[in-house]
Amino acid sequence: MMNTRRLLTCSALSAALLTGCGIRSTEVPTDFGPAPSRVRCSLSEPNISTQAERGLPVQVFLLCGSQLVAVDRTVRVPDGTADSARRVLVAQGLLDELEATPSPTEKEAGYTTDVRGAMGVTGPRPADPDETLRLSTPPNDLTSYALAQIVCTFSDSSATEGDGSVILGGPTTEPPSRYECTDEVRTRPGSNEPPSTEVTDD
């Protein structure tokens, strides 16, 4: 009889201790699934020396998490190309990279692009400023995401003067405009189009 009382007392004490610690039995599953295989918008560092062997190292801005994120690419520019032709070749190479489907690794990390349509780019018309780049698609016809990608990619490259802006025009005789890549455009390209002002060659 004494042993039975002791067992009951111990059982009661154990139950009280468990309740006091906040431990409760549960039948609700706690499996939250496997951990993500890759951090979103994060890529491993590229081999810069290997990239340099394939062409001129550049960066293009892709979309990830509704923001613009720079990724490394290369473009081919023949040695001895004149500066004016070089700018156009770099710009075309950047456009091609923006239009290309992101790699499987980039897709897994959440990268996408809104630049479509196999666009071409040419240099200035006679009345344009020397640094003008004219797209085969009018800038006003592009989505805000695509325009932001192009403006920020061009303005951060050797295709422009490197002052955070780029002069873009379309295939018509409409005057080109100077577009800026701002912090707001990089962080919220869907709701903030690149600021622009019309320019003429004085």
Side-chain angles (χ1 to χ4, degrees):
M1 180 66 69
M2 184 63 68
N3 288 338
T4 302
R5 288 179 179 175
R6 286 180 179 175
L7 288 173
L8 290 173
T9 301
C10 290
S11 298
L13 287 173
S14 298
L17 288 173
L18 289 174
T19 302
C21 294
I23 301 175
R24 298 180 180 178
S25 61
T26 177
E27 296 181 359
V28 178
T30 56
D31 183 9
F32 296 103
S37 59
R38 178 176 293 278
V39 178
R40 188 169 179 82
C41 303
S42 176
L43 296 171
S44 59
E45 292 294 326
N47 188 322
I48 301 300
S49 60
T50 302
Q51 279 197 339
E53 293 174 1
R54 296 198 300 263
L56 176 70
V58 295
Q59 287 190 322
V60 300
F61 282 87
L62 298 183
L63 298 168
C64 194
S66 298
Q67 298 182 1
L68 295 183
V69 182
V71 297
D72 295 298
R73 292 285 192 270
T74 58
V75 297
R76 290 285 187 181
V77 179
D79 293 336
T81 303
D83 288 345
S84 58
R86 180 185 178 87
R87 289 178 56 255
V88 175
L89 285 176
V90 170
Q92 185 62 63
L94 293 171
L95 266 184
D96 294 342
E97 292 296 332
L98 286 172
E99 293 170 350
T101 301
S103 69
T105 300
E106 290 168 344
K107 283 184 177 180
E108 183 182 355
Y111 288 81
T112 62
T113 183
D114 212 45
V115 180
R116 303 279 191 273
M119 277 186 287
V121 59
T122 59
R125 294 176 181 271
D128 293 340
D130 292 340
E131 64 271 26
T132 301
L133 295 170
R134 284 191 171 269
L135 304 175
S136 58
T137 299
N140 289 338
D141 289 352
L142 299 171
T143 66
S144 60
Y145 287 108
L147 182 59
Q149 284 184 259
I150 293 171
V151 168
C152 289
T153 296
F154 281 4
S155 66
D156 195 42
S157 74
S158 58
T160 62
E161 295 180 339
D163 62 353
S165 68
V166 58
I167 299 178
L168 293 178
T172 67
T173 57
E174 289 290 323
S177 294
R178 181 180 293 276
Y179 294 84
E180 296 181 36
C181 177
T182 64
D183 291 338
E184 290 76 14
V185 171
R186 284 190 291 268
T187 56
R188 293 186 297 276
S191 55
N192 293 281
E193 289 195 354
S196 64
T197 53
E198 188 176 300
V199 296
T200 56
D201 191 12
D202 296 331

